[in-house]
Amino acid sequence: MVPYIQHRENSRVSTRVVDCPECGERRGLVSSERVGPAYRDDGTTRERAVADRERLARDLAAAKAKLTRQQKNAAATQRRIAELQEELGSEP
């Protein structure tokens, strides 16, 4: 048997034959197993909404962290602009 792992977003397996690791001959795909966050350890399907919510929560946390970094950089840039304008305005 040749193992084959497929991401849950793929609706079908596109590989029909593979090279057998034991004999080197071309063999058909005998079985497949779905793995990933949408499936429990026993192979049953988890609620897709639960997996989607977990992914969205991770994405939201990353976006908030990115926004915080960008706001800090923008504040530093505004301070530098104010310093330069003050320096430019105080020259004779």
Side-chain angles (χ1 to χ4, degrees):
M1 181 170 90
V2 178
Y4 183 82
I5 297 174
Q6 174 180 337
H7 191 273
R8 72 180 188 289
E9 295 296 323
N10 294 339
S11 60
R12 64 182 180 85
V13 177
S14 60
T15 303
R16 298 284 185 240
V17 294
V18 293
D19 292 324
C20 176
E22 294 176 10
C23 66
E25 295 291 321
R26 299 287 283 172
R27 302 283 184 199
L29 190 63
V30 176
S31 67
S32 65
E33 178 182 348
R34 294 180 180 236
V35 296
Y39 300 94
R40 295 187 184 98
D41 290 337
D42 62 359
T44 58
T45 304
R46 283 178 44 195
E47 288 295 323
R48 185 171 187 104
V50 173
D52 287 343
R53 285 184 62 79
E54 289 172 359
R55 181 185 51 78
L56 288 173
R58 286 191 307 269
D59 291 348
L60 178 61
K64 284 182 177 180
K66 182 177 180 179
L67 176 61
T68 301
R69 286 191 307 271
Q70 289 174 341
Q71 287 172 334
K72 287 180 182 178
N73 288 338
T77 302
Q78 286 177 335
R79 284 191 300 274
R80 180 66 179 143
I81 289 171
E83 290 171 2
L84 291 171
Q85 285 177 336
E86 184 179 313
E87 189 178 316
L88 185 62
S90 64
E91 291 183 10

